[in-house]
Amino acid sequence: MSAAGKTAVITGSNSGIGLGIAEEMAKAGVNVVLNSFTDSQDDHALAERIGKEHGVSARYIKADMSKPEECRALIEQAGACDILINNAGIQHVAPIAEFPTEKWDAIIAINLNSAFHTTAAALPMMRKAGWGRVVNIASAHGLTASPFKSAYVAAKHGIVGLTKVTALETAQEPITANAICPGYVLTPLVEAQIPDTMKEYDMSREDVIKNVMLQRQPSKEFATVEQLGGTALFLCSDAAAQVTGTTISVDGGWTAL
Ligand code: NAD
């Protein structure tokens, strides 16, 4: 695995998929930089635990991905960025006519614009190092749509487009850019949607999971953060050197429907 010994910066990685990817990267010998917008003892302790457990360098850097200058500062402070995982993301669900403008702006800033800023800051470092991997965490909603998720779907389709442009601009260099498109993964982001959906449909938690969330996921199983970490590691391997500008779905068959 050519990724061992490299440094990965993972945005939005004190929870959920980002944390899962950080753990899998560290397990494979990759040094990791964790990030979120908070700066708590727990955040730093998390990085320390991962570093000790896997014998790699692990740091936590606070940076708010809704702010362009903090996105760029994250990469600069990391000092090295061989692998960039653009993962930070938020969700808000409402019909377009009622969708709050500030929620639209926040989702586009965090889920899409941040990846532009981090990529812009990381590419010169990757070029200098002579190797690089950009892995954008898109979504099944980067390829298909659902009602009431206008900002999220727009941002995720946008990040798939950004991935393709990044790949074309680096096509003749030892740098690749790809997007992973997960279906539903049981993380705090998804957990937070369950109570409202239970109320909306007057359903039990189990019915919401099976008949609403996993309704479009033919496997009827959540994808796991470990599986997403494994997919990200594959994209960082020698075997994936010619895999660029594409999407990999980890969605239990959702986008095959
Ligand atoms: P999560 O809520 O568990 O994690 C989101 C992470 O982003 C957290 O670490 C949070 O602190 C961070 N974050 C939020 N706002 C931030 C900001 N302003 N600056 C820096 N960090 C910020 O959610 P998750 O499910 O792990 O989602 C991670 C990514 O995966 C998102 O981009 C999401 O859209 C995508 N995704 C999730 C699912 C799913 O089913 N969970 C499916 C497809 C795609």
Side-chain angles (χ1 to χ4, degrees):
M1 185 69 69
S2 59
K6 308 279 192 205
T7 298
V9 179
I10 306 133
T11 71
S13 46
N14 67 351
S15 152
I17 293 171
L19 177 56
I21 291 177
E23 295 262 14
E24 293 304 306
M25 289 269 158
K27 228 185 263 178
V30 178
N31 301 314
V32 291
V33 175
L34 276 71
N35 152 265
S36 185
F37 59 94
T38 51
D39 200 12
S40 71
Q41 273 189 350
D42 285 354
D43 293 327
H44 293 274
L46 189 59
E48 205 179 309
R49 198 262 300 153
I50 290 175
K52 274 200 190 128
E53 214 165 291
H54 304 294
V56 295
S57 152
R59 279 191 296 152
Y60 177 88
I61 300 178
K62 179 220 168 229
D64 184 341
M65 292 298 105
S66 69
K67 303 199 167 102
E69 61 287 359
E70 292 197 26
C71 297
R72 289 171 188 262
L74 167 66
I75 305 302
E76 277 150 29
Q77 280 176 42
C81 182
D82 308 302
I83 299 167
L84 171 63
I85 315 271
N86 285 308
N87 168 78
I90 58 167
Q91 175 63 291
H92 186 78
V93 180
I96 291 175
E98 290 152 35
F99 209 93
T101 302
E102 63 276 13
K103 290 283 184 200
W104 171 276
D105 289 344
I107 290 175
I108 299 298
I110 296 166
N111 297 22
L112 175 60
N113 296 350
S114 70
F116 161 71
H117 297 296
T118 54
T119 302
L123 284 181
M125 285 186 187
M126 292 177 180
R127 287 181 169 132
K128 211 168 158 198
W131 190 92
R133 294 286 184 266
V134 179
V135 179
N136 293 324
I137 306 304
S139 166
H141 282 119
L143 305 169
T144 63
S146 295
F148 315 127
K149 296 187 175 177
S150 54
Y152 189 85
V153 170
K156 294 300 184 181
H157 275 67
I159 206 157
V160 170
L162 175 66
T163 305
K164 292 178 187 174
V165 175
T166 310
L168 291 180
E169 290 188 12
T170 56
Q172 295 187 12
E173 301 172 78
I175 297 171
T176 68
N178 293 286
I180 298 177
C181 295
Y184 271 108
V185 187
L186 194 56
T187 64
L189 181 140
V190 166
E191 191 70 56
Q193 295 174 49
I194 295 177
D196 283 351
T197 318
M198 284 169 68
K199 256 188 253 156
E200 193 183 332
Y201 292 94
D202 192 22
M203 277 183 180
S204 67
R205 181 185 158 85
E206 291 64 35
D207 284 344
V208 162
I209 288 176
K210 203 167 138 223
N211 300 324
V212 182
M213 292 188 153
L214 298 181
Q215 187 241 334
R216 290 171 77 182
Q217 203 147 309
S219 66
K220 298 295 168 203
E221 281 181 35
F222 286 109
T224 67
V225 299
E226 291 79 9
Q227 290 161 356
L228 293 167
T231 308
L233 271 172
F234 163 69
L235 290 172
C236 297
S237 71
D238 293 337
Q242 284 298 315
V243 179
T244 195
T246 196
T247 57
I248 298 191
S249 292
V250 184
D251 66 2
W254 177 334
T255 45
L257 277 174

Short mmCIF file of all heavy atoms in Angstrom, two decimals, residues 12-18 35-37 63-66 87-90 110-111 137-140 152 156 182-190, ligand 1:
data_model
loop_
_atom_site.label_atom_id
_atom_site.label_comp_id
_atom_site.label_asym_id
_atom_site.label_seq_id
_atom_site.Cartn_x
_atom_site.Cartn_y
_atom_site.Cartn_z
N GLY A 12 -13.76 17.56 8.74
CA GLY A 12 -14.94 17.06 9.46
C GLY A 12 -14.73 15.64 9.96
O GLY A 12 -15.50 14.74 9.63
N SER A 13 -13.67 15.46 10.79
CA SER A 13 -13.32 14.07 11.13
C SER A 13 -13.33 13.78 12.63
O SER A 13 -12.68 12.86 13.08
CB SER A 13 -11.98 13.71 10.52
OG SER A 13 -11.04 14.73 10.73
N ASN A 14 -14.09 14.57 13.41
CA ASN A 14 -14.22 14.20 14.82
C ASN A 14 -15.48 13.36 15.06
O ASN A 14 -15.87 13.12 16.20
CB ASN A 14 -14.17 15.43 15.74
CG ASN A 14 -15.37 16.35 15.57
OD1 ASN A 14 -16.16 16.16 14.65
ND2 ASN A 14 -15.48 17.33 16.44
N SER A 15 -16.10 12.88 13.96
CA SER A 15 -17.35 12.13 14.10
C SER A 15 -17.59 11.37 12.79
O SER A 15 -16.99 11.68 11.75
CB SER A 15 -18.47 13.14 14.37
OG SER A 15 -19.72 12.70 13.92
N GLY A 16 -18.45 10.38 12.85
CA GLY A 16 -19.02 9.74 11.67
C GLY A 16 -18.03 9.21 10.64
O GLY A 16 -17.02 8.57 10.98
N ILE A 17 -18.32 9.48 9.37
CA ILE A 17 -17.54 8.92 8.26
C ILE A 17 -16.10 9.43 8.29
O ILE A 17 -15.15 8.66 8.08
CB ILE A 17 -18.22 9.28 6.91
CG1 ILE A 17 -19.57 8.54 6.80
CG2 ILE A 17 -17.33 8.94 5.74
CD1 ILE A 17 -20.45 8.98 5.63
N GLY A 18 -15.92 10.72 8.56
CA GLY A 18 -14.57 11.29 8.59
C GLY A 18 -13.71 10.60 9.63
O GLY A 18 -12.55 10.25 9.37
N ASN A 35 -9.97 17.13 11.86
CA ASN A 35 -10.48 18.52 11.84
C ASN A 35 -11.96 18.58 12.16
O ASN A 35 -12.73 17.66 11.86
CB ASN A 35 -10.24 19.12 10.44
CG ASN A 35 -11.26 20.20 10.09
OD1 ASN A 35 -12.28 19.94 9.45
ND2 ASN A 35 -11.02 21.40 10.55
N SER A 36 -12.34 19.67 12.79
CA SER A 36 -13.72 20.14 12.85
C SER A 36 -13.69 21.61 13.23
O SER A 36 -12.60 22.20 13.31
CB SER A 36 -14.57 19.32 13.83
OG SER A 36 -15.92 19.78 13.73
N PHE A 37 -14.86 22.18 13.48
CA PHE A 37 -14.91 23.61 13.81
C PHE A 37 -14.79 23.85 15.30
O PHE A 37 -14.72 25.00 15.75
CB PHE A 37 -16.19 24.25 13.26
CG PHE A 37 -17.45 23.61 13.80
CD1 PHE A 37 -18.09 24.13 14.91
CD2 PHE A 37 -17.98 22.48 13.18
CE1 PHE A 37 -19.24 23.54 15.42
CE2 PHE A 37 -19.13 21.88 13.68
CZ PHE A 37 -19.76 22.40 14.79
N ALA A 63 -10.63 24.14 12.36
CA ALA A 63 -10.85 25.07 11.23
C ALA A 63 -12.30 24.93 10.82
O ALA A 63 -12.82 23.82 10.68
CB ALA A 63 -9.93 24.72 10.06
N ASP A 64 -12.95 26.07 10.63
CA ASP A 64 -14.37 26.08 10.26
C ASP A 64 -14.47 26.03 8.74
O ASP A 64 -14.07 26.98 8.04
CB ASP A 64 -15.02 27.35 10.82
CG ASP A 64 -16.52 27.38 10.57
OD1 ASP A 64 -16.99 26.64 9.68
OD2 ASP A 64 -17.22 28.14 11.26
N MET A 65 -15.00 24.93 8.23
CA MET A 65 -15.07 24.71 6.78
C MET A 65 -16.10 25.61 6.09
O MET A 65 -16.22 25.57 4.87
CB MET A 65 -15.34 23.24 6.46
CG MET A 65 -14.20 22.30 6.81
SD MET A 65 -12.67 22.65 5.89
CE MET A 65 -11.69 23.43 7.14
N SER A 66 -16.83 26.42 6.87
CA SER A 66 -17.73 27.38 6.22
C SER A 66 -16.98 28.66 5.86
O SER A 66 -17.53 29.55 5.22
CB SER A 66 -18.93 27.69 7.12
OG SER A 66 -18.51 28.44 8.24
N ASN A 87 -14.57 15.82 3.48
CA ASN A 87 -15.68 15.05 4.06
C ASN A 87 -16.68 15.90 4.83
O ASN A 87 -17.84 15.51 4.96
CB ASN A 87 -15.08 13.98 4.99
CG ASN A 87 -16.13 13.34 5.87
OD1 ASN A 87 -16.89 12.48 5.42
ND2 ASN A 87 -16.21 13.76 7.13
N ALA A 88 -16.26 17.07 5.35
CA ALA A 88 -17.16 17.86 6.22
C ALA A 88 -18.49 18.09 5.50
O ALA A 88 -18.52 18.40 4.31
CB ALA A 88 -16.51 19.19 6.57
N GLY A 89 -19.57 17.92 6.24
CA GLY A 89 -20.86 18.12 5.60
C GLY A 89 -21.98 18.25 6.62
O GLY A 89 -21.90 17.72 7.73
N ILE A 90 -23.01 19.00 6.23
CA ILE A 90 -24.21 19.16 7.06
C ILE A 90 -25.43 18.94 6.17
O ILE A 90 -25.32 18.87 4.95
CB ILE A 90 -24.28 20.54 7.75
CG1 ILE A 90 -24.24 21.68 6.70
CG2 ILE A 90 -23.15 20.71 8.76
CD1 ILE A 90 -24.60 23.05 7.25
N ILE A 110 -20.14 24.64 3.28
CA ILE A 110 -19.44 23.54 3.97
C ILE A 110 -19.31 22.31 3.06
O ILE A 110 -18.26 21.68 2.99
CB ILE A 110 -20.17 23.19 5.29
CG1 ILE A 110 -20.11 24.37 6.26
CG2 ILE A 110 -19.57 21.93 5.93
CD1 ILE A 110 -21.05 24.28 7.45
N ASN A 111 -20.39 21.96 2.37
CA ASN A 111 -20.40 20.70 1.60
C ASN A 111 -19.74 20.84 0.23
O ASN A 111 -19.36 19.85 -0.36
CB ASN A 111 -21.84 20.21 1.38
CG ASN A 111 -22.56 19.86 2.67
OD1 ASN A 111 -22.19 20.33 3.74
ND2 ASN A 111 -23.59 19.05 2.59
N ILE A 137 -15.91 13.19 -0.46
CA ILE A 137 -17.04 12.39 -0.01
C ILE A 137 -18.31 13.07 -0.51
O ILE A 137 -18.77 14.07 0.06
CB ILE A 137 -17.05 12.23 1.53
CG1 ILE A 137 -15.70 11.67 2.03
CG2 ILE A 137 -18.20 11.31 1.95
CD1 ILE A 137 -15.23 10.34 1.41
N ALA A 138 -18.82 12.53 -1.61
CA ALA A 138 -20.07 13.06 -2.17
C ALA A 138 -21.22 12.31 -1.51
O ALA A 138 -21.30 12.24 -0.28
CB ALA A 138 -20.07 12.92 -3.69
N SER A 139 -22.07 11.65 -2.31
CA SER A 139 -23.24 10.97 -1.76
C SER A 139 -23.98 10.32 -2.93
O SER A 139 -23.79 10.73 -4.09
CB SER A 139 -24.15 12.00 -1.09
OG SER A 139 -25.43 11.46 -0.82
N ALA A 140 -24.86 9.39 -2.63
CA ALA A 140 -25.80 8.93 -3.67
C ALA A 140 -26.57 10.16 -4.18
O ALA A 140 -26.98 10.21 -5.34
CB ALA A 140 -26.77 7.91 -3.09
N TYR A 152 -28.42 20.24 -0.34
CA TYR A 152 -27.54 19.07 -0.21
C TYR A 152 -27.31 18.42 -1.57
O TYR A 152 -26.17 18.13 -1.95
CB TYR A 152 -28.18 18.08 0.77
CG TYR A 152 -27.30 16.92 1.18
CD1 TYR A 152 -26.41 17.06 2.24
CD2 TYR A 152 -27.37 15.69 0.54
CE1 TYR A 152 -25.61 16.00 2.63
CE2 TYR A 152 -26.58 14.63 0.92
CZ TYR A 152 -25.70 14.78 1.98
OH TYR A 152 -24.90 13.73 2.37
N LYS A 156 -23.81 18.27 -3.52
CA LYS A 156 -23.20 16.96 -3.82
C LYS A 156 -23.02 16.74 -5.31
O LYS A 156 -22.03 16.17 -5.75
CB LYS A 156 -24.02 15.83 -3.18
CG LYS A 156 -24.01 15.84 -1.65
CD LYS A 156 -22.60 15.69 -1.08
CE LYS A 156 -22.60 15.61 0.44
NZ LYS A 156 -21.23 15.48 0.99
N PRO A 182 -21.55 7.53 -0.91
CA PRO A 182 -22.20 6.60 0.01
C PRO A 182 -23.72 6.71 -0.07
O PRO A 182 -24.26 7.79 -0.31
CB PRO A 182 -21.72 7.05 1.40
CG PRO A 182 -20.66 8.09 1.18
CD PRO A 182 -20.91 8.66 -0.18
N GLY A 183 -24.38 5.58 0.14
CA GLY A 183 -25.80 5.61 0.44
C GLY A 183 -25.93 5.95 1.92
O GLY A 183 -25.08 6.66 2.47
N TYR A 184 -26.96 5.43 2.58
CA TYR A 184 -27.12 5.75 4.00
C TYR A 184 -26.09 5.01 4.87
O TYR A 184 -25.87 3.82 4.71
CB TYR A 184 -28.53 5.39 4.48
CG TYR A 184 -29.51 6.54 4.29
CD1 TYR A 184 -30.50 6.48 3.31
CD2 TYR A 184 -29.42 7.67 5.09
CE1 TYR A 184 -31.40 7.53 3.15
CE2 TYR A 184 -30.32 8.73 4.94
CZ TYR A 184 -31.30 8.66 3.97
OH TYR A 184 -32.16 9.69 3.80
N VAL A 185 -25.46 5.79 5.74
CA VAL A 185 -24.50 5.27 6.71
C VAL A 185 -25.01 5.75 8.07
O VAL A 185 -25.36 6.93 8.20
CB VAL A 185 -23.09 5.88 6.47
CG1 VAL A 185 -22.04 5.24 7.36
CG2 VAL A 185 -22.70 5.80 5.00
N LEU A 186 -25.10 4.87 9.06
CA LEU A 186 -25.67 5.28 10.35
C LEU A 186 -24.64 6.09 11.15
O LEU A 186 -23.84 5.54 11.90
CB LEU A 186 -26.16 4.07 11.14
CG LEU A 186 -27.06 4.39 12.33
CD1 LEU A 186 -28.28 5.21 11.91
CD2 LEU A 186 -27.51 3.12 13.04
N THR A 187 -24.64 7.40 10.95
CA THR A 187 -23.73 8.32 11.64
C THR A 187 -24.59 9.35 12.37
O THR A 187 -25.81 9.41 12.14
CB THR A 187 -22.83 9.05 10.63
OG1 THR A 187 -23.69 9.86 9.80
CG2 THR A 187 -22.03 8.11 9.76
N PRO A 188 -23.98 10.22 13.20
CA PRO A 188 -24.78 11.24 13.88
C PRO A 188 -25.62 12.09 12.92
O PRO A 188 -26.74 12.49 13.26
CB PRO A 188 -23.72 12.08 14.60
CG PRO A 188 -22.61 11.12 14.87
CD PRO A 188 -22.58 10.19 13.69
N LEU A 189 -25.12 12.33 11.69
CA LEU A 189 -25.87 13.14 10.72
C LEU A 189 -27.20 12.46 10.36
O LEU A 189 -28.23 13.11 10.24
CB LEU A 189 -25.01 13.35 9.46
CG LEU A 189 -25.58 14.18 8.31
CD1 LEU A 189 -24.47 15.09 7.72
CD2 LEU A 189 -26.11 13.32 7.19
N VAL A 190 -27.15 11.15 10.22
CA VAL A 190 -28.35 10.39 9.85
C VAL A 190 -29.23 10.16 11.08
O VAL A 190 -30.45 10.29 11.03
CB VAL A 190 -27.92 9.05 9.19
CG1 VAL A 190 -29.08 8.08 9.10
CG2 VAL A 190 -27.36 9.33 7.80
P1 NAD B 1 -21.47 13.65 10.88
O1 NAD B 1 -22.43 14.72 11.28
O2 NAD B 1 -21.28 12.48 11.74
O3 NAD B 1 -20.07 14.28 10.60
C1 NAD B 1 -19.90 15.51 9.93
C2 NAD B 1 -18.54 16.04 10.30
O4 NAD B 1 -18.40 17.33 9.71
C3 NAD B 1 -18.38 16.22 11.81
O5 NAD B 1 -17.06 15.89 12.18
C4 NAD B 1 -18.63 17.71 12.00
O6 NAD B 1 -17.98 18.22 13.13
C5 NAD B 1 -18.00 18.23 10.72
N1 NAD B 1 -18.45 19.58 10.39
C6 NAD B 1 -19.71 20.08 10.32
N2 NAD B 1 -19.64 21.40 10.06
C7 NAD B 1 -18.35 21.73 9.97
C8 NAD B 1 -17.65 22.95 9.74
N3 NAD B 1 -18.30 24.11 9.57
N4 NAD B 1 -16.31 22.92 9.74
C9 NAD B 1 -15.63 21.77 9.95
N5 NAD B 1 -16.23 20.60 10.18
C10 NAD B 1 -17.57 20.59 10.18
O7 NAD B 1 -21.93 13.24 9.40
P2 NAD B 1 -21.47 12.05 8.44
O8 NAD B 1 -22.68 11.26 8.16
O9 NAD B 1 -20.27 11.38 8.95
O10 NAD B 1 -21.15 12.88 7.12
C11 NAD B 1 -19.85 13.04 6.63
C12 NAD B 1 -19.91 13.30 5.14
O11 NAD B 1 -20.48 12.16 4.49
C13 NAD B 1 -20.79 14.48 4.76
O12 NAD B 1 -20.20 15.19 3.69
C14 NAD B 1 -22.09 13.82 4.32
O13 NAD B 1 -22.80 14.62 3.42
C15 NAD B 1 -21.54 12.57 3.66
N6 NAD B 1 -22.54 11.49 3.53
C16 NAD B 1 -23.11 10.94 4.63
C17 NAD B 1 -24.03 9.92 4.47
C18 NAD B 1 -24.68 9.24 5.63
O14 NAD B 1 -25.62 8.46 5.40
N7 NAD B 1 -24.25 9.45 6.84
C19 NAD B 1 -24.36 9.48 3.18
C20 NAD B 1 -23.77 10.08 2.09
C21 NAD B 1 -22.83 11.09 2.28
#
